[in-house]
Amino acid sequence: MLKKIFSVALMAATILIFATGSTFAASSVEVSNVAVIMEPPLESFEKPEKVQESIQQTLNKIFKYNQNYNVLSIEETAGYVQVYREENFFDAAALLKKSDLEQICKRLDCDFIVYLRITGDNPKTLKESILGQPAKVIIDFRIWSNSAQDFTYTTRVTKTDDYSFEKSLSKGLQVIEKDVGKIIAAM
């Protein structure tokens, strides 16, 4: 009888230790909030849904294996960035400065910003390319760290497809995806 009581007490203590230990481990992992800012805004593109889908797929691949990041949706961030621009009298073409990113991070309670700037070599590139002209896409991909108050990762990728903006964008994002180790290390 004493053996049974001792066995039950030992089992209960073991369960309690594991339960407390796993709760402690789960609560000690800090999750960082990440905002995504796109310039120009999605509305500038001929097919904004496809652009957003491509970018979201890339972000999913980058953060797929790391549960320490809560990535805010592009729409969630875009709404606040638009209000920020209006309140600070920025026109749509004005680029955000480091001080702006710091303010946006504070307002959205974020630790990092994925800052994407997508441009091309002519005004028509953001729409579909002009018949017979290659579609050149330039992607500036940067990670802003609010604690460092600076960009901790930057890259510029230029890709060209014969006639498709979407293919050029896809090729550029694939290059960025290959840098996942450096991107996560920068965060």
Side-chain angles (χ1 to χ4, degrees), residues 23-154:
T23 303
F24 177 77
S27 65
S28 66
V29 174
E30 188 175 322
V31 175
S32 298
N33 288 326
V34 181
V36 180
I37 296 178
M38 280 193 55
E39 299 215 315
L42 278 172
E43 301 82 40
S44 305
F45 299 95
E46 185 171 67
K47 298 176 184 173
E49 309 84 24
K50 291 200 177 224
V51 172
Q52 181 177 354
E53 183 182 322
S54 295
I55 290 168
Q56 193 60 55
Q57 287 173 356
T58 294
L59 293 173
N60 291 346
K61 289 176 184 173
I62 290 171
F63 295 107
K64 156 167 100 170
Y65 297 111
N66 200 321
Q67 302 300 316
N68 296 335
Y69 299 101
N70 174 38
V71 182
L72 303 178
S73 71
I74 294 171
E75 298 92 355
E76 191 175 350
T77 305
Y80 178 71
V81 171
Q82 180 61 35
V83 169
Y84 181 86
R85 285 179 175 285
E86 291 167 2
E87 289 176 350
N88 290 284
F89 305 104
F90 289 163
D91 65 11
L95 297 177
L96 296 171
K97 297 180 223 157
K98 289 180 178 182
S99 59
D100 300 318
L101 296 176
E102 177 185 359
Q103 292 303 314
I104 291 168
C105 254
K106 284 180 184 174
R107 171 61 177 89
L108 293 174
D109 192 29
C110 288
D111 303 291
F112 300 97
I113 292 177
V114 173
Y115 181 85
L116 280 156
R117 185 159 186 263
I118 301 172
T119 56
D121 58 352
N122 67 52
K124 297 279 186 194
T125 301
L126 297 184
K127 303 299 182 182
E128 272 305 313
S129 68
I130 302 168
L131 189 60
Q133 285 189 328
K136 181 177 178 183
V137 174
I138 303 164
I139 304 170
D140 288 304
F141 185 96
R142 303 173 187 170
I143 300 293
W144 168 265
S145 168
N146 208 35
S147 63
Q149 294 293 297
D150 205 353
F151 292 107
T152 54
Y153 174 85
T154 61

